[in-house]
Amino acid sequence: MAGRFITLEGIDGAGKSSHSSFIADRIMARGFEVITTREPGGTALGEKLRSIVLNEKMHGDTETLLMFASRTEQLADVILPALANGVWVLCDRFTDSTFAYQCGGRGLSESRIATMETWVHGHLQPDLTLLFDAPLEVARERLNSGTNAPDKFEREQGEFFSDVRAAYLKRAAQFPHRIKLIDSARTLENIRTELGFLIDSL
Ligand code: TMP
């Protein structure tokens, strides 16, 4: 049986990454093997592209192409082989991020990104996308309390993130069966009860 493909999404500071190990444990508790990975990144070349795209100033089209370049590597080397072997894949960000950040945030055309999506993974969509959503002030406060120096995206201003968030919410409305909205302003216990339920129902 093929593995399941789960993606985590949300604006910077929405708290998605802190739930990754809980979700992986829950999958393993069901008796499945799981790998966790991230985008951009996840392969040796992808991690190099990540450090360029998160730090260098560049044209929005270049940014989008590099996101899809990293994704192409990751699909070929990691995601598709794992799924074919019955291994579940938990990926921190995927193409919904490109629609939210490059289309919503940077204003690139949606149809252009959709064309690249079809080109790179027309045959594959996540089985489940967990979209962590929090008000901008909550996300900003979480980001500010982090210890790492902010990257290019994290240094963007409120208006950018409100556009990214709006694009995410639009996608959730467009694909309600795949994208589950997780209100991450709730207690940890409350969030994990919901995550456990969603994972167990896959
Ligand atoms: P993160 O791994 O800490 O979430 O950071 C990755 C950053 O890259 C985040 O700010 C969102 C951004 N990003 C895009 O702009 N487009 C994409 O397609 C992906 C995968 C990430």
Side-chain angles (χ1 to χ4, degrees):
M1 200 174 106
R4 297 275 192 274
F5 183 31
I6 303 170
T7 57
L8 306 180
E9 295 286 355
I11 58 171
D12 295 83
K16 64 185 167 46
S17 310
S18 58
H19 298 287
S20 179
S21 60
F22 170 82
I23 296 168
D25 287 348
R26 190 81 177 208
I27 295 168
M28 285 187 288
R30 288 188 54 193
F32 298 108
E33 202 181 323
V34 58
I35 54 167
T36 55
T37 184
R38 68 175 180 179
E39 288 212 342
T43 62
L45 177 57
E47 290 295 325
K48 285 187 193 167
L49 294 173
R50 178 186 176 93
S51 102
I52 295 171
V53 79
L54 262 57
N55 294 298
E56 308 279 340
K57 195 169 174 316
M58 62 187 70
H59 192 285
D61 284 349
T62 312
E63 196 173 272
T64 305
L65 289 163
L66 289 178
M67 294 297 179
F68 274 104
S70 171
R71 190 161 298 141
T72 301
E73 286 296 306
Q74 162 114 287
L75 280 160
D77 284 6
V78 181
I79 298 176
L80 295 176
L83 295 176
N85 282 323
V87 176
W88 289 37
V89 176
L90 179 57
C91 194
D92 196 332
R93 298 194 181 282
F94 196 61
T95 299
D96 291 307
S97 278
T98 320
F99 280 102
Y101 281 77
Q102 278 66 49
C103 175
R106 301 268 191 247
L108 263 70
S109 109
E110 193 171 333
S111 70
R112 192 178 277 202
I113 294 171
T115 301
M116 279 190 260
E117 176 187 40
T118 305
W119 180 28
V120 170
H121 62 94
H123 52 292
L124 179 80
Q125 283 295 332
D127 295 295
L128 172 66
T129 296
L130 300 166
L131 172 54
F132 290 85
D133 183 59
L136 292 191
E137 315 76 65
V138 174
R140 178 54 65 184
E141 206 174 296
R142 282 204 191 121
L143 269 189
N144 291 343
S145 65
T147 49
N148 292 339
D151 64 37
K152 183 177 89 180
F153 292 100
E154 291 165 343
R155 287 196 300 273
E156 289 285 351
Q157 299 307 305
E159 198 185 327
F160 176 84
F161 285 111
S162 86
D163 290 344
V164 172
R165 186 182 184 209
Y168 265 133
L169 295 176
K170 183 177 157 198
R171 290 201 53 88
Q174 261 178 316
F175 305 104
H177 295 295
R178 172 173 70 83
I179 304 181
K180 301 297 173 199
L181 198 61
I182 310 289
D183 172 4
S184 78
R186 291 170 302 160
T187 65
L188 195 69
E189 194 189 356
N190 211 306
I191 294 171
R192 292 199 166 168
T193 303
E194 186 177 5
L195 293 177
F197 173 77
L198 288 168
I199 296 301
D200 290 352
S201 58
L202 262 187

